[in-house]
Amino acid sequence: MTAHTTGLHHVTAIAGDPQANIDFYIRGLGLRLVKKTVNFDDPSTYHLYYGDDAGRPGSLMTFFPWGQVAPGRIGSGQSTTTAFSVPEGSLGWWQNHFRHLGVESSISRTSADEERLSLRDPDGLQLDLVASSTSDPRNPWDSSFVPAEHAVRGQHSSVLTVTDPEHTLRVLTEDLGLRISDEAPGRTRLQAGVGGPGNIVDVLADPAGPYGLVAGGTVHHIAFRVPDKATQELWRQDLVERGFAVTAILDRQYFTSIYFREPGGVLFEIATDTPGFNVDEPLLELGRSLKLPPWLEPSREDIEASVARIEVPEDNNTLAEGEASDAATVPSGQPGGVA
């Protein structure tokens, strides 16, 4: 094979009300809105990106908030749970935090090394906060809503639920370069790159469960990292030669993407680490204004009239002066920081 993914890039899901989405992910999870743009394929709706201070690959969760979208069904053929990494010993704080926000959650220990807080976002999307004994060196976004000692460090892992895992596991190992690190009845853990939080995929076999329906409260696709477009082009050629129906390389402004569906039904994306989210606005201003790619700028007036009014907390754009200086020097493609 041409390349191996170095880990998770982002997860994109379907939401309803964009303001409820913003309030939950900024005030509830303590993430930063790093880009307010539109769905390039449907500019009448937003595409909202959340992550760390710079929106680094591996920290990102993105949404298409389609207003009155019908509820989906979580099931086979989907990424069914998205997990974020938090410091060990922090889940008690998080459960109390969500209790004050009126969000139900439950804590479970899934292994000797991991404890999970499970909850759902306003649209019913399944989320976990994972406190692991494996150290996560990534720095959190300095949010006023969540203390740094408890804050999300980035993605931890994604669960892929399929009817028959054999072919999905083959794609993940032979075509994406992940390696199997643990196996249990009905569940296989794989890791990419250096492994650990931000590089983990769990494949869950559910032969009797319902097939998923992608709509409100479900994941649209999961994206894996590739360093640059040149590598992506070679990887695309390799996938096509292996018989996959792969899209052309698509310009997402902040990265380029290719998409294909694995045999279990999950839509995969391979996204570049570069150029990053500061190509069209300064780091300190990320998420403040509606950004459009050059080909949509002539339609800005119509687009702004069609999307819902939303308010972003001022804290989304405040960094201490020293932190801003340090953050601005971190390349966007480095571990620790989207469609």
Side-chain angles (χ1 to χ4, degrees):
M1 60 179 295
T2 302
H4 290 67
T5 181
T6 53
L8 298 172
H9 189 284
H10 67 271
V11 172
T12 294
I14 309 297
D17 176 33
Q19 189 63 58
N21 186 262
I22 285 172
D23 291 342
F24 179 84
Y25 284 90
I26 294 180
R27 300 177 187 274
L29 272 186
L31 304 180
R32 187 184 191 193
L33 181 68
V34 294
K35 194 63 60 177
K36 180 171 61 173
T37 184
V38 294
N39 182 337
F40 293 175
D41 302 315
D42 178 12
S44 66
T45 192
Y46 287 110
H47 193 173
L48 304 176
Y49 293 80
Y50 304 92
D52 65 7
D53 63 326
R56 295 176 182 85
S59 75
L60 292 159
M61 185 82 191
T62 95
F63 289 90
F64 302 133
W66 265 304
Q68 301 300 314
V69 65
R73 181 176 62 245
I74 296 173
S76 182
Q78 292 179 342
S79 177
T80 49
T81 301
T82 301
F84 295 92
S85 174
V86 297
E88 194 172 20
S90 67
L91 294 189
W93 182 91
W94 278 103
Q95 188 166 46
N96 188 57
H97 171 68
F98 282 119
R99 186 181 298 116
H100 284 300
L101 295 175
V103 177
E104 294 183 1
S105 64
S106 61
I107 296 177
S108 62
R109 181 166 287 280
T110 50
S111 73
D113 300 321
E114 288 181 3
E115 195 174 21
R116 290 176 176 254
L117 179 74
S118 299
L119 63 145
R120 290 179 181 255
D121 81 355
D123 294 290
L125 189 71
Q126 293 182 171
L127 303 174
D128 282 352
L129 300 185
V130 179
S132 171
S133 60
T134 302
S135 175
D136 189 338
R138 297 174 292 179
N139 293 321
W141 162 239
D142 187 15
S143 165
S144 63
F145 302 106
V146 178
E149 62 266 29
H150 303 303
V152 168
R153 266 49 183 171
Q155 287 192 51
H156 178 273
S157 55
S158 284
V159 175
L160 310 184
T161 300
V162 294
T163 301
D164 181 356
E166 179 183 355
H167 299 295
T168 299
L169 291 172
R170 185 175 297 137
V171 170
L172 289 168
T173 55
E174 296 181 5
D175 299 300
L176 296 184
L178 283 78
R179 61 192 180 278
I180 294 174
S181 61
D182 188 54
E183 294 182 272
R187 193 181 191 102
T188 304
R189 170 158 289 191
L190 302 96
Q191 303 201 42
V194 298
N199 304 306
I200 299 171
V201 173
D202 290 323
V203 176
L204 179 65
D206 188 11
Y211 202 77
L213 173 65
V214 175
T218 65
V219 169
H220 186 270
H221 62 266
I222 175 174
F224 295 92
R225 296 176 62 178
V226 66
D228 51 46
K229 189 176 179 181
T231 308
Q232 185 182 58
E233 289 173 340
L234 292 172
W235 205 349
R236 181 187 181 278
Q237 180 180 343
D238 194 18
L239 289 168
V240 169
E241 291 174 354
R242 289 170 176 261
F244 290 98
V246 188
T247 67
I249 295 176
L250 302 174
D251 184 359
R252 299 311 193 191
Q253 186 77 348
Y254 314 108
F255 49 89
T256 58
S257 301
I258 57 174
Y259 302 83
F260 67 98
R261 200 171 294 276
E262 57 82 31
V266 184
L267 183 60
F268 284 171
E269 175 184 355
I270 297 175
T272 58
D273 286 351
T274 55
F277 288 91
N278 60 352
V279 295
D280 58 359
E281 59 185 338
L283 184 69
L284 293 179
E285 299 296 318
L286 294 182
R288 176 165 287 179
S289 59
L290 180 66
K291 308 305 292 185
L292 299 176
W295 61 91
L296 289 179
E297 274 296 345
S299 302
R300 173 174 285 275
E301 186 174 346
D302 291 338
I303 290 171
E304 289 181 337
S306 68
V307 295
R309 288 184 175 272
I310 53 176
E311 293 185 6
V312 179
E314 282 298 318
D315 302 60
N316 192 68
N317 301 98
T318 57
L319 277 171
E321 185 174 342
E323 291 173 325
S325 176
D326 292 342
T329 65
V330 179
S332 61
Q334 294 301 310
V338 219

